[in-house]
Amino acid sequence: GYMNLIQKRQIVAYYLAFFSFGLIVSIIGTALPYLAEHTGVSLSRISLIFTMSSIGFFIGSILSGFLYDRISGSKLLFAAFCLVSTAAFFIPVISSFPLLCAVIMLFGFGNGTIVVGCNTLIIRVHSLHVGQLINGMHVVNGVGAFITPLVFAQIIARTGDVVLGYRLYVIIFALIGVYIILTPSPELQGSHKKQEKTTTESHPKRLV
């Protein structure tokens, strides 16, 4: 099936978003010793941020799952990138461990919203290419996860810290967010449900 320009823009937007999630996945592990140093806690204690990130991710995934059927996908993804960008800006300079945990939870919340959004919206772009689009999107995610340790290793070697790496990613997340908000969203799932309801009311015997 032929894809129009808007559908192609949507695919690029969701691929970029999922690529950014790949970047996000590897950040905390790479930066862990430096975050421990910034907050003055041990490595065993700083590892709690993995739990906080997972809790935020879980909550974000559940809430956004409902919202993507009711709100424009582009607006919701843009809001998630705003949250992730803001959190990424502050994470490497926070000196309070409880505050870091709270910000990391918000970071995870945004990540969950991004993941659910990409997997949900890509399905609505083109029904004939769903399998290929999802597979390709997850490959791009893996590329992002592979790149982060390489980028951060270079930045750590040059600066002795991870702050510049986070700053670079803030810019990347912000640019992706802008591209997404400028990209039209696929049709809301509720519209499909409404159409299906109308169809089933017109053909009750066929439904049975």
Side-chain angles (χ1 to χ4, degrees):
Y2 171 77
M3 285 189 288
N4 59 40
L5 182 59
I6 291 179
Q7 288 173 315
K8 291 177 181 178
R9 283 180 59 190
Q10 289 168 342
I11 291 170
V12 171
Y14 307 143
Y15 269 49
L16 285 173
F18 220 58
F19 171 76
S20 77
F21 175 67
L23 298 177
I24 290 168
V25 166
S26 307
I27 292 179
I28 295 179
T30 308
L32 198 65
Y34 301 91
L35 298 181
E37 183 181 340
H38 296 169
T39 53
V41 299
S42 64
L43 276 176
S44 60
R45 192 178 180 198
I46 196 68
S47 62
L48 180 63
I49 65 177
F50 287 108
T51 303
M52 306 308 293
S53 177
S54 297
I55 292 172
F57 188 95
F58 176 73
I59 297 171
S61 298
I62 290 178
L63 291 180
S64 64
F66 292 105
L67 294 175
Y68 279 110
D69 284 338
R70 294 160 176 80
I71 300 175
S72 164
S74 293
K75 292 179 181 178
L76 200 53
L77 264 181
F78 176 72
F81 271 98
C82 288
L83 181 60
V84 167
S85 298
T86 304
F89 181 86
F90 289 106
I91 285 171
V93 295
I94 293 175
S95 58
S96 166
F97 181 62
L99 180 59
L100 177 63
C101 287
V103 174
I104 286 287
M105 184 181 287
L106 292 175
F107 191 62
F109 184 95
N111 297 339
T113 304
I114 290 170
V115 171
V116 171
C118 291
N119 282 287
T120 300
L121 297 173
I122 198 74
I123 293 173
R124 300 175 186 171
V125 172
H126 201 294
S127 60
L128 297 180
H129 298 286
V130 171
Q132 296 137 319
L133 291 176
I134 291 178
N135 288 334
M137 193 171 68
H138 283 267
V139 169
V140 169
N141 171 63
V143 173
F146 176 77
I147 288 176
T148 286
L150 303 178
V151 172
F152 270 67
Q154 291 298 317
I155 290 173
I156 291 169
R158 295 169 192 270
T159 66
D161 210 324
V162 293
V163 176
L164 184 60
Y166 272 97
R167 293 290 184 267
L168 173 63
Y169 278 20
V170 166
I171 296 172
I172 293 173
F173 298 153
L175 291 175
I176 293 175
V178 170
Y179 184 82
I180 287 171
I181 196 64
L182 295 176
T183 302
S185 297
E187 189 177 2
L188 286 172
Q189 191 66 30
S191 301
H192 292 298
K193 290 179 179 178
K194 189 174 181 180
Q195 290 174 1
E196 289 172 5
K197 185 177 180 181
T198 303
T199 304
T200 55
E201 286 175 351
S202 302
H203 307 282
K205 293 181 181 179
R206 186 177 299 176
L207 174 63
V208 174

